[in-house]
Amino acid sequence: MTSSTTSTLTRSTDSSQPLVPLLEERWSPRSYDETATISDDTLDALLEAARWAPSAANTQPRRFVVGRRGTETFRKIEQHLMGFNAAWAGRSSALLVAIAEPVTEDGQERRWAEYDLGQAVAALAVQAHAEDLHVHQMGGFEVDGIRAAFDLPERFVPVTVTAIGTVADPSKLDEKAAERETAARTRLSLDELVLARD
């Protein structure tokens, strides 16, 4: 990875228990260094992390489309982002479409396909952080547009688009977005999340 600028921007995590640093430090920025690039080896490492994520019965019902900034693939993905996402994601170093295969080519249902895809993207996100990168996952994109742009079979369902890159100063964003970029991170408490525990 190369970059003309390096940002040390971090955001605090008020975790109730100590976590491994890669989880403690992970967050999802919107401000990216538009000069930073991702090497082939680094991109391969991220995709390899996704490849080795678990899946039900090892069916691996996930596929990916990834393009680095400046490529036709990146442009096709970016043009189908919606709303606020379109305003900032183009500065990331790469955009990745995460695709689930909930039905096989012969019509067999894969009930846990989206869950398995989520595990793969989570593994990719942790690997990205280990590579001094940050990711931001988005649901705001035109599914049919992405499907058409990459001639995806009907059984392939685009679920998310992920921006990947080097975090930059929040000043690249508008005032409202910059405030969100630096606000304290929050989560529901364990008491709210855990419905039963012995």
Side-chain angles (χ1 to χ4, degrees):
M1 180 185 68
T2 61
S3 171
S4 63
T5 61
T6 301
S7 173
T8 58
L9 179 65
T10 59
R11 294 179 68 187
S12 62
T13 302
D14 186 21
S15 58
S16 62
Q17 298 294 322
L19 303 176
V20 296
L22 288 176
L23 296 178
E24 185 86 27
E25 298 165 3
R26 186 219 60 79
W27 64 286
S28 303
R30 294 178 181 85
S31 185
Y32 284 98
D33 179 353
E34 58 194 341
T35 67
T37 60
I38 297 178
S39 71
D40 287 340
D41 287 346
T42 299
L43 190 56
D44 285 347
L46 270 58
L47 294 168
E48 188 72 357
R51 184 170 81 98
W52 282 100
S55 64
N58 198 29
T59 52
Q60 305 170 59
R62 55 223 176 187
R63 301 292 184 271
F64 303 97
V65 172
V66 61
R68 285 178 284 195
R69 191 181 56 253
T71 66
E72 180 65 9
T73 298
F74 186 99
R75 185 193 67 77
K76 286 182 178 180
I77 299 170
E78 184 184 14
Q79 74 179 11
H80 294 292
L81 296 177
M82 296 167 53
F84 179 51
N85 294 332
W88 59 266
R91 290 191 294 270
S92 63
S93 299
L95 292 172
L96 175 140
V97 182
I99 301 162
E101 186 187 25
V103 179
T104 65
E105 194 169 6
D106 60 6
Q108 180 181 353
E109 181 182 1
R110 287 178 166 167
R111 178 182 168 195
W112 297 281
E114 289 192 19
Y115 179 87
D116 292 340
L117 175 65
Q119 292 197 90
V121 178
L124 181 148
V126 172
Q127 182 67 33
H129 197 77
E131 302 279 352
D132 292 325
L133 297 168
H134 284 74
V135 306
H136 189 113
Q137 301 172 53
M138 300 168 273
F141 67 97
E142 299 166 350
V143 172
D144 290 341
I146 290 287
R147 188 191 299 280
F150 297 103
D151 196 25
L152 299 178
E154 189 64 28
R155 72 182 189 280
F156 286 168
V157 179
V159 176
T160 60
V161 172
T162 298
I164 307 167
T166 301
V167 68
D169 192 273
S171 63
K172 291 182 176 288
L173 302 170
D174 64 41
E175 184 177 354
K176 183 177 179 181
E179 287 177 4
R180 292 174 66 183
E181 197 84 342
T182 57
R185 297 172 62 197
T186 61
R187 293 293 189 272
L188 296 176
S189 69
L190 287 180
D191 287 342
E192 294 172 279
L193 290 175
V194 181
L195 303 180
R197 174 179 171 175
D198 286 325

